[in-house]
Amino acid sequence: MIFKSVTAVISVFFMIGIGVLAAKLKWVNKEVANFIPKIIINVSLPCQLIVTFSTEFTKEQLSTAWVYVAAGIAASLAGILIAYIVALLIKIPKSRRGVFCVLFALSNSVFIGFPVASAIFGNPGMQYASFFYIANTTCFWTFGYAMITNDAEVIHGETQSLRPLDRVKKILSIPILTLIASFILILLNVSIPELITNTAGYLGGLTTPLSTLFLGYTLYNMGKKMFKYDKGMISYIIGRFPVSFMLMYLSCLVFGIEGLARNVLLTQMSLPAMIQTVVTSEYVGADSDYAARGLAITTLLSLFTIPLFSFLGS
């Protein structure tokens, strides 16, 4: 497991390096960079999920799916609560408190999580990574988004609120809707035509390379500012890795999750910070530089932490 984890992570970082090179050579401009996440979230990731669930998932397995989602939500919410307490204790400024909590508690389940799950565990592991994605995304677009928006309100002295219907739309993204549709088809014992699964297989294969190339572009554009020390950096690094790992381990014990499912959930929980933290911070007017440095440092550290926690979870 440890050799496979190291090999998988090095492979991912090679692809990130190609993304850095592409950015340096100006092969990728801002318009292309904006296009890539849209293709991943709306096309390649849903196609990858279609293939995964149509080939690896059964009706019997579906009956226990809620357990993995609940375990992920419980661990993530516990992480957010601990992060908020830590933020108060070490006196993180109110203008950064929400970003700090998201960096501390929530992981990069798409742009790093899916490539790592696919590389280490193959298609059988992708279904559990998908369940974690549901939990992680739900926590981000509810508690995480609200906390980052609160940072922006402190900075600008304005009230920026997302209507309940808009929040529901954010949670019900195309990947989430794809999962729901897949669940329904499995419950009804409906087989997806081979033409669709073959097409989805080709498009789904884009998820890993596009995700890592985009991450490389993002890291390159941060430049030297990614290495600047910020207050709370050590705390959210500890939260993002050992604390999150332990919270998921305890959650798996409570929900009785073992074997491959536990290994995947542990790996997914102890990934780098979410790219959405940076994107959302920029969008609402929060401290996106603080978020970007958190993303950069946790991503670089994950070269060592992912193999370590994959080994500890096995």
Side-chain angles (χ1 to χ4, degrees):
M1 174 65 76
I2 185 67
F3 176 77
K4 195 172 184 179
S5 299
V6 171
T7 303
V9 174
I10 290 175
S11 177
V12 167
F13 270 82
F14 273 143
M15 288 186 282
I16 292 173
I18 294 173
V20 171
L21 180 62
K24 182 177 178 62
L25 296 175
K26 308 299 182 183
W27 291 350
V28 182
N29 56 30
K30 189 173 183 180
E31 288 72 24
V32 173
N34 290 335
F35 169 76
I36 292 175
K38 292 177 182 177
I39 286 294
I40 294 170
I41 298 299
N42 298 312
V43 179
S44 70
L45 176 57
C47 286
Q48 187 176 42
L49 295 177
I50 288 172
V51 173
T52 297
F53 280 84
S54 65
T55 59
E56 300 290 342
F57 209 55
T58 65
K59 188 174 181 179
E60 290 70 29
Q61 288 172 308
L62 181 59
S63 64
T64 61
W66 70 270
V67 175
Y68 310 115
V69 177
I73 290 176
S76 297
L77 291 182
I80 290 174
L81 177 60
I82 293 172
Y84 187 76
I85 294 172
V86 171
L88 294 177
L89 291 175
I90 65 176
K91 299 181 179 179
I92 296 294
K94 289 184 178 180
S95 60
R96 289 180 167 181
R97 198 168 290 168
V99 171
F100 172 86
C101 290
V102 175
L103 291 174
F104 186 108
L106 301 179
S107 73
N108 199 338
S109 61
V110 174
F111 294 97
I112 290 291
F114 282 116
V116 167
S118 178
I120 297 177
F121 304 105
N123 275 346
M126 281 297 295
Q127 58 184 283
Y128 301 113
S130 300
F131 297 146
F132 181 82
Y133 167 76
I134 297 173
N136 198 59
T137 299
T138 300
C139 289
F140 178 81
W141 287 114
T142 51
F143 292 94
Y145 185 93
M147 297 176 82
I148 293 175
T149 302
N150 187 68
D151 287 359
E153 292 174 359
V154 172
I155 293 171
H156 302 285
E158 301 172 353
T159 300
Q160 303 180 47
S161 59
L162 194 66
R163 294 177 301 172
L165 181 59
D166 291 332
R167 197 177 300 280
V168 170
K169 289 180 180 178
K170 288 289 186 180
I171 296 173
L172 294 178
S173 60
I174 290 180
I176 295 293
L177 292 174
T178 301
L179 287 173
I180 294 172
S182 298
F183 291 165
I184 293 173
L185 291 176
I186 292 169
L187 285 173
L188 297 176
N189 290 320
V190 176
S191 299
I192 300 176
E194 186 175 352
L195 175 63
I196 295 178
T197 56
N198 286 342
T199 304
Y202 289 122
L203 292 171
L206 296 172
T207 301
T208 296
L210 286 181
S211 298
T212 50
L213 290 173
F214 175 75
L215 186 51
Y217 170 85
T218 302
L219 293 176
Y220 175 80
N221 281 291
M222 290 179 193
K224 294 180 180 179
K225 68 181 181 181
M226 78 170 77
F227 300 109
K228 177 184 174 183
Y229 177 80
D230 285 309
K231 185 173 184 179
M233 180 180 287
I234 300 300
S235 296
Y236 67 64
I237 288 173
I238 293 173
R240 184 78 305 277
F241 298 118
V243 172
S244 292
F245 180 87
M246 289 304 302
L247 289 174
M248 181 54 77
Y249 186 82
L250 292 173
S251 187
C252 287
L253 285 179
V254 171
F255 286 92
I257 299 172
E258 299 177 343
L260 175 64
R262 184 189 67 179
N263 296 345
V264 175
L265 291 177
L266 287 171
T267 302
Q268 293 293 300
M269 185 67 176
S270 49
L271 293 168
M274 296 179 74
I275 285 182
Q276 290 93 327
T277 312
V278 182
V279 175
T280 302
S281 297
E282 181 69 27
Y283 177 73
V284 302
D287 195 337
S288 58
D289 283 349
Y290 185 65
R293 284 190 286 274
L295 169 66
I297 189 64
T298 56
T299 299
L300 291 173
L301 288 174
S302 70
L303 178 60
F304 307 99
T305 59
I306 290 175
L308 173 63
F309 290 124
S310 297
F311 173 73
L312 292 175
S314 62

